[in-house]
Amino acid sequence: MKNISLAFILACLFAVTANAADRSITTIGTVRVEIPADKVKVRVSIQAVDPTLEGSNAKLDALVDEFFKKAKSLGIRKDEIVLNSRMAEKEWVRDGRRRIDNGFSSAISLTLTLNDVSKFPELATYAGLREELSLWGTKYTSSKEGEARKKAITGALKAARDKAELLAKAGNATLGQLISAEEMDMEPKSRYGSISSNNFTQMEISEGVQSVEFSVRVTATFELK
């Protein structure tokens, strides 16, 4: 259930010019929004090791085909899986101070979108039971964020006006029309941690509803009579 809470920013800029006709007041209103996530993006890494380069590539291809079949069973289309990179290199293992040739390693990195967030634990279990697969991060989103953000902007402007009216009344003045308003971009947060620069959080596999949180801040200037 969407939970919207209005919060007034403590800091307020109060400006009055020498000319009474040009008096104005500037305040800031903030709305914090939390909505259930219904989508999740996941980074997946698949790796295969074999004594030969051809063998490691063949094993990787087989693992990728198997993974795509699992993704399809979870409702993930091929166009919702993005190839980030694919590479092959020599594989080495350490035996004390010695480095031993262990053949070749072929690996692929993918990003997929799971449109049914409730199926994420199944995907995580599938990867967890396979040594060749790793899940590196998640980004929870909501298809309702756009509409929620529009409502939050309206709420933030109302919060700014309410604050301005309180200050105007305290100063024995009357609040007039809106002169200007500016929305300040605020970085969204996941319920389970701040979004990193690449928009992925550390992977979380938790029961219950995942959520998306964001804040909208509006700076507004009003005429002061």
Side-chain angles (χ1 to χ4, degrees):
M1 179 178 180
K2 182 171 69 177
N3 176 26
I4 299 182
S5 60
L6 295 180
F8 290 125
I9 299 299
L10 295 178
C12 165
L13 178 63
F14 184 65
V16 179
T17 66
N19 186 343
D22 295 331
R23 294 192 306 170
S24 65
I25 181 170
T26 299
T27 53
I28 299 174
T30 299
V31 171
R32 294 184 177 90
V33 180
E34 180 180 343
I35 52 179
D38 54 22
K39 296 183 180 182
V40 58
K41 283 189 175 182
V42 187
R43 281 183 173 174
V44 182
S45 176
I46 307 174
Q47 182 182 31
V49 178
D50 191 81
T52 67
L53 178 59
E54 293 79 7
S56 68
N57 277 319
K59 284 183 178 179
L60 180 61
D61 289 339
L63 289 169
V64 171
D65 287 343
E66 180 187 347
F67 178 76
F68 270 60
K69 290 178 182 178
K70 181 61 179 180
K72 183 178 180 181
S73 73
L74 295 173
I76 303 171
R77 304 189 308 269
K78 280 191 174 182
D79 62 353
E80 293 173 325
I81 301 177
V82 178
L83 172 63
N84 298 324
S85 63
R86 176 165 180 159
M87 62 178 294
E89 60 184 1
K90 285 290 295 180
E91 178 77 5
W92 305 90
V93 294
R94 286 282 182 179
D95 182 10
R97 294 184 178 181
R98 293 191 306 156
R99 190 175 70 160
I100 301 174
D101 186 347
N102 195 40
F104 294 85
S105 169
S106 295
I108 192 170
S109 173
L110 306 167
T111 298
L112 60 87
T113 300
L114 187 59
N115 289 307
D116 185 350
V117 72
S118 67
K119 293 182 179 179
F120 176 62
E122 182 180 347
L123 175 65
T125 300
Y126 173 83
L129 295 175
R130 288 160 177 78
E131 185 178 353
E132 303 88 354
L133 271 69
S134 300
L135 303 185
W136 291 101
T138 60
K139 179 189 175 186
Y140 289 96
T141 60
S142 173
S143 58
K144 298 178 180 179
E145 183 175 342
E147 189 61 32
R149 188 172 290 276
K150 290 179 183 178
K151 292 180 179 179
I153 292 173
T154 301
L157 180 57
K158 183 180 183 301
R161 185 174 186 89
D162 288 346
K163 182 68 173 291
E165 286 179 342
L166 287 174
L167 292 170
K169 184 177 180 180
N172 295 319
T174 302
L175 199 66
Q177 65 181 358
L178 175 67
I179 297 175
S180 65
E182 179 182 4
E183 179 194 1
M184 301 174 65
D185 186 29
M186 302 183 71
E187 188 177 25
K189 290 185 177 181
S190 163
R191 183 176 180 176
Y192 294 97
S194 297
I195 299 294
S196 61
S197 58
N198 57 14
N199 290 329
F200 279 81
T201 64
Q202 183 178 357
M203 188 178 66
E204 294 282 352
I205 306 173
S206 308
E207 295 182 358
V209 178
Q210 303 285 343
S211 66
V212 175
E213 296 180 19
F214 62 89
S215 295
V216 172
R217 179 177 295 172
V218 171
T219 301
T221 299
F222 302 92
E223 178 187 8
L224 199 60
K225 299 179 180 179

